[in-house]
């Protein structure tokens, strides 16, 4: 791998042992990927503070510095961890202390996370605690090289913002935060960002649910490749693009998609494919839409619903307002819990606007920092849950062993009020 003078100096210890370990890791990582060089990044998003059993053991052995060295730098030596070299943020993590009276989350993990947060903030890591950093001010510019984790955030950054990131991990983002470098491969190269599959949307896609179903179908079709979507698409907005990308990254491993005329690297269909021949299109009709819906609802059998989950990826202010409006003057079924997940920074705005109070008056809970998948908890006794998120409907049955229903936001709120699932594909 070709290294600049500055990169060689970091490798040789000019920035200290931790920086040298980080550079050694990135060189090994990059060479394993076939990268010829590193590229500079000034925006890193990782999960340093998420409590895990491995970190618990490392904390006993040598404190949070030891835990960071092993899990974020692949380094077994005792090294001092300096401040981050470039702006770095914490993505979603476990629930915090304010959720202990609401969720059955282990208080010991909250205590561990608080220690990790103190260690991280002392080194300049911003605790955004959300899977949607772009909703709370972390907005990389078009063409900017970044190093982000979290599949739904990466596909949004690449596709909607036009930034350039692969789907990184804890270790590579830890090393990137101390060096300001990441291997130059994959989505960092222009030629790897062009479309590979053309999907012709023939069924009208307008609603939030339909954008999610289209994403779930597309990800299952292309897996880790790059779909280009054209056809009967309208009423697009940032929430629907968030839902579309998250669903693609769930049923497949999509890290970038293109909507000609909407996303920044695809002014036309031809541009989306980089001037190459446009492949034969795959139709998306009512049959494909219904198949995606049935797959997402294949884990549901009982119509008695214990738990409603909204806000995956974390809800925007518009979504919070919609939920508050749907709950206005209503009361939840006594046997059904409703959790709404949103970034902590947006919750403060939602409180000011009265959305949080409206949800709470109905009996719902507004939670931040995490989600049931990350914290691996649901309300005690949950057997059946419903959600408007294709991602959670896909993952939670496997993670928590519960049944799942997928529907519209309105259907989910109505189920929270009645305790019964009445969703259907309209």
């Amino acid at each position: 791998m070709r290294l600049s003078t500055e990169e060689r100096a970091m490798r040789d210890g000019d920035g200290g042992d931790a920086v040298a370990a980080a550079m050694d890791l990135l060189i090994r990582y990059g060479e394993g990927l076939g990268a010829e060089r590193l590229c500079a990044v000034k925006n890193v998003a990782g999960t340093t503070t998420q409590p895990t059993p491995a970190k618990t053991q490392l904390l006993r052995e040598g404190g949070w510095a030891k835990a960071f060295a092993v899990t974020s730098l692949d380094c077994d030596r005792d090294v001092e961890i300096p401040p981050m070299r470039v702006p770095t943020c914490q993505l979603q993590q476990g629930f915090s202390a304010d959720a202990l009276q609401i969720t059955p989350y282990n208080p010991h993990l909250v205590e561990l996370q608080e220690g990790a947060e103190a260690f991280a903030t002392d080194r300049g890591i911003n605790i955004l605690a959300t899977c949607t950093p772009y909703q709370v001010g972390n907005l990389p510019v078009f063409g900017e090289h970044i190093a982000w984790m979290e599949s739904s955030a990466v596909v949004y950054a690449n596709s909607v913002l036009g930034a350039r990131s692969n789907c990184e991990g804890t270790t590579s983002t830890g090393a990137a935060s101390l060096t300001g470098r990441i291997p130059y491969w994959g989505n960092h190269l222009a030629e790897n960002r062009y479309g590979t599959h053309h999907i012709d949307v023939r069924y009208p896609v307008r609603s939030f649910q339909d954008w999610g179903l289209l994403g779930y179908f597309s990800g299952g079709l292309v897996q880790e490749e790059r779909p280009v979507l054209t056809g009967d698409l309208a009423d697009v907005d940032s929430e629907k693009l968030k839902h579309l990308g998250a669903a693609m990254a769930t049923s497949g491993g999509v890290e970038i998609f293109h909507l000609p005329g909407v996303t920044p690297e695809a002014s036309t269909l031809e541009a989306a494919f980089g001037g190459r021949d446009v492949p034969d299109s795959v139709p998306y009709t009512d049959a494909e839409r219904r198949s995606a819906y049935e797959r997402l609802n294949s884990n549901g059998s009982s119509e008695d619903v214990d738990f409603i989950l909204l806000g995956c990826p974390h809800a925007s202010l518009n979504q919070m307002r919609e939920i508050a409006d749907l709950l206005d003057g209503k009361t939840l079924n006594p046997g059904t819990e409703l959790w709404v997940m949103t970034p902590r920074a947006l919750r403060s705005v939602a409180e000011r606007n009265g959305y949080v109070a409206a949800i709470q008056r109905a009996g719902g809970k507004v939670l931040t920092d995490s989600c049931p998948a990350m914290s691996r908890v649901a309300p005690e006794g949950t057997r059946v849950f419903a959600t408007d998120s294709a991602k959670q409907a896909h993952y939670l049955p496997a993670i928590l062993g519960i049944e799942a229903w997928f529907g519209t936001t309105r259907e989910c709120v109505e189920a929270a009020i009645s305790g019964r699932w009445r969703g259907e594909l309209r």
Side-chain angles (χ1 to χ4, degrees), residues 194-217:
Y194 298 131
T196 58
H197 294 68
H198 178 203
I199 297 175
D200 180 13
V201 180
R202 300 177 186 173
Y203 184 90
V205 172
R206 305 286 186 274
S207 69
F208 184 77
Q209 181 189 49
D210 266 323
W211 281 94
L213 289 172
L214 175 59
Y216 199 72
F217 163 78

Side-chain angles (χ1 to χ4, degrees), residues 240-307:
K240 291 169 182 171
L241 291 176
K242 177 178 68 173
H243 195 31
L244 175 77
M248 284 183 183
T250 296
S251 57
V254 174
E255 295 180 2
I256 182 171
F257 63 83
H258 299 290
L259 268 67
V262 176
T263 53
E265 293 176 65
S267 57
T268 64
L269 177 63
E270 291 71 24
F273 287 97
R276 303 167 182 167
D277 291 340
V278 177
D280 293 339
S281 63
V282 176
Y284 177 77
T285 68
D286 185 48
E288 285 75 28
R289 173 179 178 259
R290 183 164 295 280
S291 175
Y293 180 84
E294 290 173 351
R295 285 179 60 198
L296 284 167
N297 282 288
S298 61
N299 287 299
S301 60
S302 172
E303 294 181 349
D304 294 324
V305 179
D306 312 299
F307 173 40

